[in-house]
């Protein structure tokens, strides 16, 4: 007998569970350091040199790095070890346009199929994001904002019935996270994140799929535009 899953999950903000193994703990720490730029793109990750930084043995660290290759955040070089995955404008453009294509389609389906429970979840997610944006404007709680931003985007498309679309979008979202951290630092004071999210929320609640998908595409592409402008400015000096 086939069992069907609920049309979309209920997102409740909870404390992130403690890692269950040393491998998971090392994986999380490395991942956060890569995303937040403490480990630079292309940097050599010498296991013997960094294992003490993460409080684990060489075999454990190697396993954590292997997991990060699956996330495309680390590149394995065979016998030469591991490096932090590089970043480039071409890579960000590819991530951005693929995400726009998939996420806008998923949002259109979600608006068409979402019920009252979806609207309630979206309202709650937007409220929590708004509070995090207020703290972000004060220079605090960036990690909390990242988590609530992710949940808001997940709830927007939660009523889309395609499990695979959501899976691929999750991968793309995390791939874009490094660039988003860079963009937020460099566009601080110029990008009006709350206004972008508010307009998107209002269009989705109004079931205006055309406006919502247009706003979503613009919202996703702004990170790419910000990084391009900064790159051009750097090159001109």
């Amino acid at each position: 007998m086939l069992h069907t899953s609920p049309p979309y999950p209920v997102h409740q903000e909870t404390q992130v569970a403690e890692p269950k193994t040393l491998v998971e703990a090392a994986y999380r720490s490395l991942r956060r350091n890569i995303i937040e730029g403490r480990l630079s793109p292309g940097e050599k990750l010498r296991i013997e040199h960094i294992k003490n930084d993460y409080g684990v043995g060489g075999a454990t660290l190697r396993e954590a790095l292997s997991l990060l290759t699956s996330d495309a955040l680390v590149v394995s070089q065979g016998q030469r070890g591991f490096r932090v995955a590089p970043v480039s404008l071409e890579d960000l453009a590819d991530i951005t346009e693929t995400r726009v294509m998939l996420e806008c389609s998923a949002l259109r389906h979600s608006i068409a199929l979402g019920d009252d429970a979806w609207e309630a979840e979206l309202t709650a997610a937007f409220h929590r994001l708004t509070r995090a944006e207020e703290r972000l404007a004060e220079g605090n709680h960036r990690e909390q904002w990242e988590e609530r931003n992710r949940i808001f985007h997940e709830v927007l498309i939660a009523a889309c019935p395609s499990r695979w679309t959501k899976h691929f979008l999750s991968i793309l979202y995390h791939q874009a996270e490094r660039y988003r951290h860079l963009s937020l630092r460099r566009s601080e004071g110029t990008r009006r994140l709350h206004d972008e999210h508010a307009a998107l929320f209002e269009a989705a609640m109004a079931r205006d799929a055309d406006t919502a998908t247009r706003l979503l595409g613009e919202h996703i592409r702004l990170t790419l535009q910000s990084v391009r402008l900064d790159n051009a400015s750097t090159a001109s000096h």
Side-chain angles (χ1 to χ4, degrees):
M1 180 179 177
L2 294 176
H3 298 277
T4 58
S5 300
Y8 43 86
V10 174
H11 289 83
Q12 294 180 341
E13 188 162 20
T14 59
Q15 294 294 323
V16 177
E18 291 296 317
K20 297 179 180 178
T21 65
L22 289 175
V23 171
E24 185 181 355
Y27 164 82
R28 287 191 191 180
S29 295
L30 282 161
R31 183 178 179 280
R32 180 54 52 191
N33 286 340
I34 291 170
I35 287 171
E36 295 185 353
R38 287 188 286 271
L39 292 172
S40 302
E43 182 175 340
K44 180 77 171 177
L45 298 171
R46 300 181 186 276
I47 291 176
E48 292 304 313
H49 291 181
I50 67 172
K51 65 181 183 180
N52 291 336
D53 294 341
Y54 296 93
V56 295
T60 298
L61 189 61
R62 181 176 295 277
E63 189 172 347
L65 289 168
S66 295
L67 290 173
L68 287 162
T69 63
S70 300
D71 294 341
L73 291 172
V74 166
V75 177
S76 174
Q77 299 182 299
Q79 296 299 318
R80 292 182 294 165
F82 299 89
R83 285 186 183 274
V84 177
V87 295
S88 69
L89 283 174
E90 292 77 14
D91 183 54
L92 178 56
D94 191 12
I95 291 168
T96 298
E97 291 308 316
T98 305
R99 186 178 165 202
V100 167
M101 177 179 63
L102 291 176
E103 195 163 339
C104 286
S105 174
L107 178 58
R108 191 173 290 275
H109 281 94
S110 197
I111 287 172
L113 299 173
D115 58 12
D116 291 349
W118 172 74
E119 289 188 0
E121 272 297 299
L122 184 58
T123 300
F126 176 68
H127 174 75
R128 290 191 294 266
L129 178 58
T130 297
R131 293 293 172 262
E133 284 166 345
E134 291 169 355
R135 298 182 185 108
L136 185 67
E138 298 168 357
N140 299 317
H141 303 283
R142 187 178 297 277
E143 190 169 345
Q144 181 190 71
W145 175 86
E146 187 67 55
E147 174 71 6
R148 292 184 180 186
N149 183 62
R150 178 186 61 78
I151 290 173
F152 176 71
H153 279 270
E154 286 181 353
V155 175
L156 274 172
I157 65 165
C160 172
S162 173
R163 177 175 63 89
W164 281 105
T165 296
K166 294 173 185 175
H167 173 68
F168 290 131
L169 281 170
S170 176
I171 293 171
L172 291 167
Y173 185 93
H174 290 301
Q175 281 298 313
E177 198 171 351
R178 277 201 293 174
Y179 295 97
R180 190 161 48 253
H181 273 267
L182 185 64
S183 173
L184 282 173
R185 287 198 299 270
R186 291 175 175 173
S187 63
E188 188 174 356
T190 61
R191 186 168 178 182
R192 302 176 67 86
L193 282 169
H194 177 71
D195 291 349
E196 294 172 34
H197 288 133
L200 182 53
F201 168 72
E202 289 167 6
M205 291 294 287
R207 306 295 177 134
D208 185 347
D210 289 339
T211 298
T213 53
R214 175 181 58 79
L215 290 170
L216 178 61
E218 293 172 356
H219 174 68
I220 294 170
R221 288 186 175 108
L222 275 172
T223 295
L224 173 60
Q225 292 171 18
S226 175
V227 174
R228 275 179 171 162
L229 285 171
D230 184 80
N231 188 69
S233 175
T234 301
S236 67
H237 285 84

